[in-house]
Amino acid sequence: THKTVTHAAAVALRLVGETSRASPRQHASSSSSSTSCLSLNCLPPYADNGRLVRPQPAIFECNDQCSCRGRCSQSVMSQGLAESLEVFETEGRGWGVRAKDNIGPGQFIAEYVGELRSAADVEEAVDKGGDSNLDSYLFDLDFLDDYVKKGGATAENFDRTRFVLDARVSGGVARFINHSCAPNAFPQIVFTSLQDPRRHRVALFASQFIAKGREITYDYGYRPGACIGKTMFCLCGEQSCRGQLL
């Protein structure tokens, strides 16, 4: 019942160490002693203005281990919160987040941050019923699971410990962003200096123009029936509302 980014993947998965053809847009120089951020991406993820060009299974941002040392246009989420956001109390849906300024399509909104915990520990806590609201603040880090399913690796290649981000106690503004069946934002897997496929970062980007004052939402990726004995109905109110999340 945790939030997931699996549904946002649009092209074939790649991991650090895989080769890819060089991009014609050379924002970063090549180096024999370090890797260019562009060589790790299927296509340059960001335009020169910092906007995401298209969703990708994973983005490898420029960082201090890259040959261009984080000085090119392929470093966006690493720069921190860029947009002005406001947490507010919605009518019947708890807390929400809205834009304090216009946000253009492809613009970085916020990173989903929280305490890094093993999925096994979290599931045990949920099963014990210690906190009925725990599920609401969990985000699965499931890039490696999806990569293995698509044949990119075998279980023996990696430590298969699964992790989740728990934003219940320690988290940022993104934990208050609500679900919608007609969202205006989406989650995107991002790797920076730590390129462990089990512990990626999660960024939220605008999928369309978001006007000042409008609530920001994304699809949590829940599946009805995924959690036996638990039902959750959607309150987004959109014409395309699926009605039931779990």
Side-chain angles (χ1 to χ4, degrees), residues 16 40 60-61 63 65 191-197 199:
V16 176
L40 297 175
F60 297 90
E61 285 205 353
N63 58 78
Q65 298 179 33
F191 290 94
T192 52
S193 55
L194 178 63
Q195 295 176 346
D196 181 340
R199 293 183 289 168

Side-chain angles (χ1 to χ4, degrees), residues 3-245:
K3 303 177 182 73
T4 175
V5 294
T6 301
H7 65 285
V11 292
L13 292 167
R14 293 174 183 268
L15 280 176
V16 176
E18 291 189 330
T19 58
S20 63
R21 62 189 179 204
S23 166
R25 297 180 57 213
Q26 294 299 319
H27 293 283
S29 60
S30 61
S31 170
S32 58
S33 60
S34 57
T35 304
S36 164
C37 52
L38 290 180
S39 70
L40 297 175
N41 292 292
C42 301
L43 293 168
Y46 303 118
D48 290 332
N49 61 6
R51 294 192 183 187
L52 185 66
V53 177
R54 63 184 60 81
Q56 298 190 28
I59 288 174
F60 297 90
E61 285 205 353
C62 188
N63 58 78
D64 57 7
Q65 298 179 33
C66 179
S67 58
C68 50
R69 301 292 187 267
R71 294 189 294 269
C72 75
S73 63
Q74 304 307 305
S75 178
V76 173
M77 189 198 70
S78 305
Q79 306 302 317
L81 193 65
E83 301 304 325
S84 183
L85 309 174
E86 179 183 16
V87 177
F88 72 104
E89 190 169 3
T90 68
E91 295 183 8
R93 293 180 296 113
W95 297 106
V97 177
R98 58 191 170 201
K100 292 186 70 176
D101 295 300
N102 293 337
I103 300 176
Q107 281 189 246
F108 170 63
I109 296 174
E111 179 182 3
Y112 195 99
V113 296
E115 179 186 358
L116 185 69
R117 301 178 61 183
S118 75
D121 289 345
V122 169
E123 288 167 3
E124 181 180 358
V126 172
D127 290 342
K128 289 181 178 179
D131 189 339
S132 59
N133 293 321
L134 179 59
D135 268 1
S136 301
Y137 296 102
L138 298 177
F139 210 121
D140 278 334
L141 302 185
D142 53 5
F143 173 79
L144 180 57
D145 287 345
D146 200 45
Y147 184 71
V148 170
K149 288 177 184 177
K150 293 181 182 297
T154 62
E156 291 76 20
N157 294 137
F158 299 99
D159 175 354
R160 294 297 304 280
T161 302
R162 292 174 51 244
F163 292 97
V164 300
L165 291 174
D166 179 2
R168 177 185 49 163
V169 176
S170 177
V173 66
R175 62 178 165 170
F176 298 116
I177 298 179
N178 282 317
H179 163 86
S180 175
C181 297
N184 52 24
F186 64 92
Q188 169 67 61
I189 292 172
V190 177
F191 290 94
T192 52
S193 55
L194 178 63
Q195 295 176 346
D196 181 340
R198 302 167 305 151
R199 293 183 289 168
H200 57 77
R201 297 167 72 174
V202 178
L204 294 172
F205 288 89
S207 58
Q208 58 187 256
F209 175 77
I210 304 174
K212 176 181 178 180
R214 185 179 177 189
E215 183 176 3
I216 298 168
T217 59
Y218 67 98
D219 190 329
Y220 284 2
Y222 289 167
R223 293 179 293 107
C227 186
I228 299 175
K230 184 171 184 177
T231 301
M232 181 183 297
F233 295 101
C234 183
L235 302 174
C236 73
E238 298 287 345
Q239 289 185 348
S240 59
C241 180
R242 300 192 294 270
Q244 183 176 340
L245 294 179

